[in-house]
């Protein structure tokens, strides 16, 4: 099989970190080498901190395990999930770059319909650097793309668009289904390549998947908290969903845009639906309460920073979702701890990592 073609230029090479949560050796990076090697990686090792994670030669990286997280954050490390990919958000916190791209270690380079390797990172960067259109839907999708424009009837006063905070990519092969859907469609695979990017309209929530995601850390970073999941928690696999709901409410309030669509990655393997059902069980019920909560959440006008918005949202979570289950009281407290840790860490020089290369 021919290797990926090497990009002529590496956009934002010094302004973007790639965050990868993992419990295994990162052999998958070999496939991504032509696209990722010039960038700095932040690897967040989940699970047993005594296990050695092998990273292919030639990558510039920092590696943090649970011992590092405890050392750097102290008591505030309680807000970082353990034995769950939600731990990736620690990488967002310690990064000092403007942009973040995060990917799972079972995500491979996909091919477009012509058979060409897709440079997912480059497409995410393009999405983030171009405006969004959250206030008025353009029926030709992204009007800033080559070969497209604003359609007849689109208000001229809105054509400057809004800053893009989030670029949400998609997946070929194994789709991001919940456990019940996995169980009834065990062999279903996504083979449809839709060549489109669109802005999610203001006031509309979406199910954010963290396995192929990029965002502007300066615009929305403090809201990218993946919650309390995994070990010791009653729920899992809702980490990125929770972050997405919070992020969208705050982006809508602050006038920022969220895009979804291209780029695609190749999601190589399906997780066990029975294990997933055990993790998701409570969430399947709770999301019927959570989603109306976020749909109706409003933030006061004096909340003008992401941190202020997030603290206000945490208060509403405690007050309203705390009645659904005590877990949400704990989660609301963790949201505050996360912001405190974010502000402390980002007001001081970067902490030393466990390993580098």
């Amino acid at each position: 099989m021919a290797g990926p073609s090497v990009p002529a230029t590496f956009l934002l090479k010094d302004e973007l970190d790639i965050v990868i949560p993992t419990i295994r050796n990162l052999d998958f990076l070999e496939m991504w080498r032509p696209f990722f090697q010039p960038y700095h990686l932040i690897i967040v090792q989940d699970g047993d901190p005594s296990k050695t994670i092998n990273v292919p030669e030639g990558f510039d990286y920092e590696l943090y395990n649970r011992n590092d997280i405890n050392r750097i954050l102290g008591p505030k490390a309680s807000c970082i999930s353990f034995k769950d990919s939600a731990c990736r958000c620690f990488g967002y916190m310690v990064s000092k770059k403007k942009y973040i791209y995060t990917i799972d270690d079972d995500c491979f380079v996909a091919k477009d319909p012509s058979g060409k390797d897709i440079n997912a990172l480059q497409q995410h960067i393009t999405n983030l650097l171009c405006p969004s259109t959250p206030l008025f839907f353009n029926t030709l999708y992204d009007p800033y793309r080559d070969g497209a424009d604003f359609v007849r009837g689109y208000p001229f006063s809105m054509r400057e668009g809004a800053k893009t905070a989030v670029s949400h990519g998609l997946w070929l092969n194994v789709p991001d289904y919940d456990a019940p859907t996995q169980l009834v469609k065990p062999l279903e695979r996504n083979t449809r390549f839709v060549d489109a990017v669109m802005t999610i309209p203001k006031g509309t929530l979406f199910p954010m998947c963290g396995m192929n995601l990029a965002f502007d850390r300066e615009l929305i970073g403090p809201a990218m908290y993946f919650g309390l999941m995994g070990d010791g928690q009653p729920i899992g696999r809702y980490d990125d969903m929770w972050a997405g709901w919070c992020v969208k409410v705050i982006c809508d309030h602050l006038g920022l845009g969220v895009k979804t669509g291209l780029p695609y990655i190749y999601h190589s393997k399906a997780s066990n639906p029975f294990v997933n059902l055990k993790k998701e069980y409570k969430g399947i019920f709770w999301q019927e309460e959570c989603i109306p909560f976020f749909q109706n959440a409003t933030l006061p006008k004096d909340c003008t920073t992401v941190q202020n918005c997030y603290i206000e949202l945490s208060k509403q979570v405690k007050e309203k979702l705390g009645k659904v289950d005590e877990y949400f009281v704990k989660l609301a407290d963790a949201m505050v701890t996360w912001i405190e840790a974010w502000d402390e860490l980002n007001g001081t020089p970067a902490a030393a990592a466990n390993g580098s290369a």
Side-chain angles (χ1 to χ4, degrees):
M1 184 177 71
S5 58
V6 179
T9 58
F10 295 98
L11 298 173
L12 306 179
K13 184 171 70 72
D14 300 317
E15 299 177 69
L16 182 144
D17 279 334
I18 300 173
V19 175
I20 306 168
T22 194
I23 58 171
R24 58 182 62 87
N25 294 335
L26 295 180
D27 300 331
F28 91 114
L29 285 172
E30 287 294 352
M31 178 177 282
W32 288 101
R33 185 182 293 275
F35 304 131
F36 286 3
Q37 187 164 349
Y39 295 88
H40 181 67
L41 311 180
I42 298 178
I43 300 161
V44 184
Q45 178 181 346
D46 197 17
D48 183 2
S50 67
K51 180 180 177 180
T52 299
I53 299 293
N54 293 320
V55 181
E57 292 286 335
F59 285 93
D60 173 42
Y61 71 92
E62 304 164 64
L63 189 151
Y64 297 90
N65 62 33
R66 192 69 202 189
N67 293 338
D68 298 311
I69 294 171
N70 291 337
R71 171 176 56 83
I72 292 165
L73 296 185
K76 291 185 174 63
S78 62
C79 72
I80 304 297
S81 298
F82 184 55
K83 294 185 178 178
D84 193 280
S85 64
C87 67
R88 79 177 76 220
C89 62
F90 178 77
Y92 310 159
M93 183 185 286
V94 297
S95 171
K96 300 303 170 191
K97 303 291 177 62
K98 177 173 171 57
Y99 300 99
I100 295 288
Y101 174 53
T102 185
I103 185 172
D104 284 5
D105 59 17
D106 62 350
C107 294
F108 300 162
V109 177
K111 292 183 181 295
D112 67 18
S114 72
K116 182 181 178 182
D117 290 308
I118 297 169
N119 184 348
L121 180 55
Q122 189 171 51
Q123 179 65 52
H124 275 298
I125 291 170
T126 299
N127 292 348
L128 289 171
L129 294 182
C130 291
S132 295
T133 54
L135 299 180
F136 202 91
F137 189 79
N138 192 57
T139 50
L140 271 183
Y141 307 121
D142 185 356
Y144 306 103
R145 189 176 180 183
D146 289 342
D149 211 322
F150 294 97
V151 298
R152 181 171 57 89
Y154 200 101
F156 284 88
S157 60
M158 294 182 179
R159 294 191 182 193
E160 281 190 10
K163 291 180 181 179
T164 301
V166 179
S167 171
H168 178 256
L170 299 175
W171 346 268
L172 293 173
N173 196 40
V174 178
D176 187 29
Y177 285 162
D178 53 37
T181 308
Q182 281 184 292
L183 286 167
V184 297
K185 294 183 173 183
L187 301 180
E188 185 159 289
R189 297 294 181 264
N190 181 34
T191 59
R192 295 178 65 243
F193 181 95
V194 180
D195 188 10
V197 178
M198 63 186 74
T199 299
I200 300 171
K202 181 177 181 179
T204 300
L205 297 175
F206 75 112
M208 189 175 81
C209 173
M211 75 171 91
N212 177 26
L213 178 73
F215 60 93
D216 186 322
R217 186 176 175 276
E218 291 182 1
L219 286 180
I220 201 62
M224 275 288 178
Y225 175 48
F226 276 42
L228 291 176
M229 304 283 152
D231 193 52
Q233 308 302 334
I235 186 175
R237 285 174 54 85
Y238 274 86
D239 51 334
D240 42 9
M241 299 293 145
W242 182 262
W245 298 331
C246 293
V247 160
K248 189 58 167 63
V249 169
I250 293 173
C251 282
D252 286 353
H253 176 75
L254 296 178
L256 301 172
V258 176
K259 293 181 180 179
T260 188
L262 301 179
Y264 284 90
I265 51 83
Y266 183 89
H267 187 207
S268 64
K269 62 183 181 181
S271 49
N272 187 311
F274 296 100
V275 173
N276 290 347
L277 184 60
K278 187 175 180 181
K279 293 178 179 180
E280 294 173 3
Y281 178 75
K282 289 181 181 292
I284 290 169
F285 292 98
W286 289 346
Q287 71 182 13
E288 303 305 319
E289 302 282 348
C290 290
I291 291 170
F293 162 76
F294 283 106
Q295 286 174 326
N296 293 298
T298 58
L299 299 170
K301 290 183 178 179
D302 60 359
C303 285
T304 56
T305 67
V306 175
Q307 284 93 328
N308 288 346
C309 291
Y310 203 71
I311 293 296
E312 172 60 29
L313 202 51
S314 75
K315 294 175 184 176
Q316 296 182 26
V317 167
K318 178 176 281 191
E319 177 189 351
K320 296 179 180 177
L321 292 181
K323 298 172 184 176
V324 174
D325 192 273
E326 187 67 22
Y327 165 76
F328 290 100
V329 175
K330 185 178 179 181
L331 177 55
D333 290 338
M335 292 169 71
V336 175
T337 302
W338 161 263
I339 292 295
E340 291 172 349
W342 180 285
D343 286 346
E344 286 180 15
L345 205 57
N346 286 284
T348 56
N354 180 55
S356 61

